[in-house]
Amino acid sequence: MAIATMQSIVLDCPDPRRLAEFYAQVLDWKVDPEGTTSWVDVTGPNGYRLSFQESPGFIPPQWPSLEHAQQLHLDLDVPRERLDQAEKEVIELGARLIQGDDGGKRGFRVYLDPAGHPFCLCACD
């Protein structure tokens, strides 16, 4: 028997609404309209939820770095044939590519979201 069930993954950030809207568009999830200036949830299928919490003085992680470690990152699957289009779309939403897939040799590309959290678009078949 589980001790607990997962409620949400929470990311600290300077602007919860902006980051919630970024991930809602990337994942095609819904931003909870009840959010405040300090906390916003994004909900997906099967009760999945990402939450964004205001953190005054937020210092984004640096990837790769031990000085400002990432501590957490999201791996998001994308069909291999859509990877280039997905990259274009996340960049238009405010992401920044920081490591490519080495001409397809690696199955993922690393980006920073608008608040500086790393996430990967991972090629899936």
Side-chain angles (χ1 to χ4, degrees), residues 11-124:
L11 298 174
D12 287 353
C13 59
D15 185 345
R17 174 83 37 202
R18 170 140 166 53
L19 202 55
E21 290 171 357
F22 171 82
Y23 280 105
Q25 290 182 38
V26 169
L27 298 168
D28 194 24
W29 290 8
K30 303 290 183 219
V31 175
D32 182 351
E34 303 295 317
T36 67
T37 58
S38 61
W39 185 280
V40 180
D41 292 321
V42 175
T43 56
N46 302 318
Y48 292 134
R49 180 170 40 195
L50 283 174
S51 301
F52 305 91
Q53 174 177 273
E54 182 180 31
S55 177
F58 172 76
I59 298 172
Q62 294 177 4
W63 189 92
S65 169
L66 296 178
E67 187 176 331
H68 296 284
Q70 63 179 322
Q71 298 178 16
L72 171 138
H73 75 272
L74 301 174
D75 284 344
L76 307 175
D77 285 342
V78 175
R80 188 174 307 280
E81 65 274 5
R82 284 202 73 258
L83 195 57
D84 290 337
Q85 180 61 34
E87 175 174 287
K88 181 178 183 264
E89 291 173 18
V90 298
I91 288 172
E92 287 174 356
L93 292 171
R96 185 168 50 100
L97 177 68
I98 59 170
Q99 183 181 27
D101 60 5
D102 197 18
K105 292 179 184 172
R106 281 193 304 276
F108 63 93
R109 299 174 186 172
V110 183
Y111 304 83
L112 296 178
D113 69 22
H117 302 104
F119 71 94
C120 297
L121 293 182
C122 303
C124 66

